[in-house]
Amino acid sequence: MPTSHLPDETRYNFYHAIHKALRLGHCRMLPALGSHDYRDRARTGSLLSDLSNLMAVGRGHLEGENREIHAALEERRPGASAHAADDHEYHEASFAEIETLIRAVEQAAVADRDLAGRRLYRRYAAFVAHDLEHMDSEETELLGALHEAFTDDELKAMEGRIVAAVPPQKMAAVMMLMVPALNHVERVDLLAKLQKAMPEPAFNGLLTTAIKPSLDGKDYRAVVGELMLHAA
């Protein structure tokens, strides 16, 4: 992508963190599917559950974009999100196909499970390739159009409505991908915003159930220590 096509990096970018999370999820899941022995029923069940959860995070992100971002952009700049909308239709079809292939692995006889797993792996790999391109397009072309059409405060408000609509259980799943995908400064900034926006018991629960399990001990202590300094 030529640098002349890149958006203004000083402007607000609500794609940055969630796309880091999805990329991390893909980079973990693809080799896990490719190296897995699908004859092991217990481990296969766990892996397929992880894949279903990752697909749910992706689908939730898609729904939020369609509802808040694409609708607002189309109202202000008709046609500006048409290409992204086409990509989202491909995503919806991919989610449905991957779910069908997951069920096929679950229902296959032991002798047929490796073949069913191979089919799932290849279809997911094709989806990952497309999704990585799609996210780059959103972070360049679509974000540029959003910067032209909206102020940073308006973009933050869109993101706020998307986040507010995410149920707590799904938010924990998102955070378990997003927090390890971010660097230390980004983590502290994200968690400071959540700490300010959430009731204390809810935020502490998120720390316990999602943030702490997703980081190694040193990184978790560093984040919590800095949050305590900010709150002091």
Side-chain angles (χ1 to χ4, degrees), residues 128-207:
V128 170
H130 185 276
D131 198 28
L132 292 175
E133 289 190 3
H134 171 70
M135 287 189 282
D136 182 70
S137 177
E138 286 186 328
E139 291 176 13
T140 52
E141 298 169 20
L142 188 59
L143 185 60
L146 288 164
H147 283 166
E148 291 177 2
F150 299 97
T151 66
D152 282 357
D153 285 342
E154 288 174 315
L155 297 179
K156 290 175 183 178
M158 287 182 202
E159 182 184 46
R161 290 191 294 271
I162 292 172
V163 172
V166 179
Q169 186 174 358
K170 290 187 177 181
M171 178 59 73
V174 173
M175 288 297 107
M176 289 191 77
L177 282 176
M178 186 178 291
V179 170
L182 300 178
N183 64 42
H184 174 73
V185 173
E186 293 169 338
R187 287 171 191 157
V188 172
D189 181 61
L190 171 66
L191 293 180
K193 289 177 182 177
L194 291 175
Q195 187 176 32
K196 184 176 180 180
M198 297 173 68
E200 185 175 354
F203 178 74
N204 290 339
L206 190 65
L207 282 179

Side-chain angles (χ1 to χ4, degrees), residues 84-100:
D86 290 342
D87 276 358
H88 281 196
E89 290 182 6
Y90 171 87
H91 275 56
E92 290 290 357
S94 295
F95 291 144
E97 289 179 26
I98 290 169
E99 287 172 1
T100 298

Side-chain angles (χ1 to χ4, degrees), residues 23-102:
R23 288 179 179 118
L24 176 61
H26 287 326
C27 288
R28 287 174 170 174
M29 182 56 63
L30 189 59
L33 289 174
S35 63
H36 186 69
D37 180 358
Y38 291 89
R39 296 168 298 180
D40 185 330
R41 187 173 295 274
R43 290 181 61 247
T44 297
S46 177
L47 178 62
L48 296 183
S49 177
D50 289 343
L51 176 57
S52 293
N53 289 338
L54 178 58
M55 293 294 97
V57 170
R59 177 168 270 158
H61 172 58
L62 201 76
E63 291 170 352
E65 284 186 315
N66 288 340
R67 185 179 64 252
E68 296 291 344
I69 298 172
H70 291 191
L73 183 57
E74 280 302 302
E75 184 176 342
R76 195 163 291 190
R77 299 283 177 86
S81 69
H83 176 68
D86 290 342
D87 276 358
H88 281 196
E89 290 182 6
Y90 171 87
H91 275 56
E92 290 290 357
S94 295
F95 291 144
E97 289 179 26
I98 290 169
E99 287 172 1
T100 298
L101 291 169
I102 288 172

